[in-house]
Amino acid sequence: MKKNPKQGIFITIEGPDGCGKSTQAEILVAYLKTKSIPVILTREPGGCSIGEEIREILLKPRGEQILSDETELFLFAAARAQHVRETILPAMSIGSVVIASRFIDATTAYQGYGRGIPIESIRDVNELATGGLKPDLTIILDIDSEKGIHRARGVNEETPAGEVDRIEAESITFHKRVRNGYLEIVKNEPERCVLIDSDRPISEVSGDIMNCITERFDV
Ligand code: TMP
């Protein structure tokens, strides 16, 4: 039986930098609102005031100063722990659909495949941060790494023109490992994750996302 929004549905939208997830998340939220379905749009890192403060620490460019891979992992996890408890679970408990731009899979793709921290450690840290919460559906938007990075570096409301955030500024080989990580995640969890080619017109991508949603949920 299809899950009903009243039961609280949790959908995440993921993908490499520049895959267009913010645009698609907004389109999805607008669509659900036209159906009078209660919905919140949130993001990671962020989604609550403590999460947004941690986001700043994580994303601001640091020049010569190095944030260790382990510090980075725990900061993403700390932001998530707060976000789950302060924002996601309370919204689900009152029957809201929660759409999150990034969640556990970003940590697997970026800190696991990208930085090289063992995947089993990432799983354990994610488990602790989320208390076991998993998305009902994860849409992974796929994009060629060069194209994605080109897009991401051109459009970013949080950094002035010409500046990129600390993670966008990573090498193209890092971003290729991240993309590969996402492809592995879809292979390993085909029930939960759906891969969608995002190198197409926005309306075609959003059409595919809507189809996924209506196939799985009673919306
Ligand atoms: P975004 O909100 O613009 O996608 O920026 C978030 C950045 O943080 C993006 O480069 C992906 C990265 N990130 C991780 O490396 N690990 C994580 O767990 C999350 C949530 C994001």
Side-chain angles (χ1 to χ4, degrees), residues 17 21 43-45 55 59 72 76 80 101-104 106-107 110-111 156 158 165 167-168:
D17 284 273
K21 65 192 161 28
R43 68 172 181 181
E44 286 205 356
R55 179 183 181 94
L59 297 186
E72 183 181 275
F76 277 115
R80 178 160 309 132
S101 172
R102 299 197 185 280
F103 193 60
I104 46 173
T107 311
Y110 283 80
Q111 283 64 54
N156 190 332
E158 283 168 73
D165 76 37
I167 293 182
E168 283 164 359

Side-chain angles (χ1 to χ4, degrees), residues 2 6 8 13 40 45 53-54 68 85 98 115 120 122 133 156 159 170 173 177-178 180 190 196 204 210 219:
K2 289 182 182 179
K6 292 197 180 87
I13 305 190
I40 65 157
E53 283 181 42
I54 298 173
S68 84
R85 288 157 185 84
V98 176
R115 300 287 189 216
E120 310 77 64
I122 302 283
L133 176 70
N156 190 332
T159 44
E170 284 294 336
T173 53
R177 291 197 297 275
V178 169
N180 177 52
I196 293 181
E204 278 182 32
M210 301 311 165
V219 294

Side-chain angles (χ1 to χ4, degrees), residues 12-28 41-45 55 99-103 106 110 139-143 151 168 182 198 205 209:
T12 58
I13 305 190
E14 294 265 5
D17 284 273
C19 68
K21 65 192 161 28
S22 309
T23 306
Q24 292 300 336
E26 279 164 21
I27 294 172
L28 178 56
L41 175 59
T42 187
R43 68 172 181 181
E44 286 205 356
R55 179 183 181 94
I99 312 284
S101 172
R102 299 197 185 280
F103 193 60
Y110 283 80
I139 306 282
I140 298 185
L141 299 177
D142 186 40
I143 183 89
R151 270 201 208 167
E168 283 164 359
Y182 275 119
S198 76
V205 177
I209 295 177

